[in-house]
Amino acid sequence: MKSMTGFAKLQKQIGTSVYTVEIKTLNSKQMDASVKIPAELRGKDLEIRALLNSLERGKIDLVLASEGGQTPAASVNKAVAKAYFNDLNELYQQLGQDVNMLMDSVLRRPDVWDTTETATIDESTWTAIANLVKEAIATVDSTRLHEGEILKADFYKHIELIQQKLNLVPQYEAERIEQQKERLRRSLAELGTTVDENRFEQELIYYLEKLDITEEKVRLQKHIDYFVETMEMPESTGKKLAFITQEMGREINTMGSKANHSELQKLVVVMKDELEKIKEQLGNIL
């Protein structure tokens, strides 16, 4: 089991440059990757994103920076600079502003600079950079696995409490049936009418069948067993576990609606509370 939360930051000297790669991952329903890389690696964007696919799912931010080495060549785009200068010069004169520093303002505009001629890297350098990215991804995967194990232990604690409460349900069922019988008999006595005892027993059986929770107990037990089994699967289990908790919630809710017994209701409340604690963390499971 893996969490979708992870982090890695690695640095390495490659050729004349020092490359630093930082990867942060958070939970997300889909793969959502953001990649920021130096100008000389723009042509490798798709390859870097392909490497990130091994993380499967989550909001992933990768920042790859370089220091030293070649930098992109830049030149002034004269047409753009002249257009800015003429427009601003006219505006400054209308406002009576000092135009002496006008060119400094123009040169601060990013689109005035043309950086189409960028530095490139050779294949051996790219191979070393790709290996650095792979190493960072492996580190992120390791942190995800570690946090996943912590979450798994927490899930076991909550699922065990649900199991304990489910095991306590049968001890109240006989008492629950007798309470329902007694309640119906009191209601009939208050009406002051005489009823056929055989007919009363038939109607009582029909009524109690509607309150029977045997199927809910059996299905909930199966869901609990499947949840535990799924947690130990080697592949990603987050979405499957979320589906199982939905089914568990359905059975617990139905059990609560049929309970008609204060102690059973208390057990149901605890089971629902523990299930909600599981759901809160499941959104972070890969």
Side-chain angles (χ1 to χ4, degrees), residues 159 162-167 214-228 244 247-248 251-252 255 271:
I159 209 74
I162 294 174
Q163 180 69 69
Q164 289 175 9
K165 300 308 176 185
L166 178 59
N167 292 341
T214 301
E215 289 186 12
E216 286 75 15
K217 290 188 301 178
V218 171
R219 285 196 292 263
L220 179 56
Q221 184 62 63
K222 288 183 177 179
H223 294 326
I224 290 173
D225 294 340
Y226 190 34
F227 187 94
V228 173
I244 297 171
E247 296 302 306
M248 290 173 63
E251 302 306 332
I252 292 172
M255 197 180 301
M271 285 191 283

Side-chain angles (χ1 to χ4, degrees), residues 272-285:
K272 290 174 70 172
D273 183 52
E274 295 302 318
L275 189 63
E276 285 302 313
K277 292 175 182 177
I278 292 175
K279 288 180 177 180
E280 287 175 6
Q281 295 292 346
L282 269 182
N284 200 31
I285 293 297

Side-chain angles (χ1 to χ4, degrees), residues 18-29:
V18 175
Y19 285 90
T20 302
V21 58
E22 181 176 296
I23 302 176
K24 298 177 183 177
T25 65
L26 297 171
N27 58 313
S28 176
K29 292 183 179 180

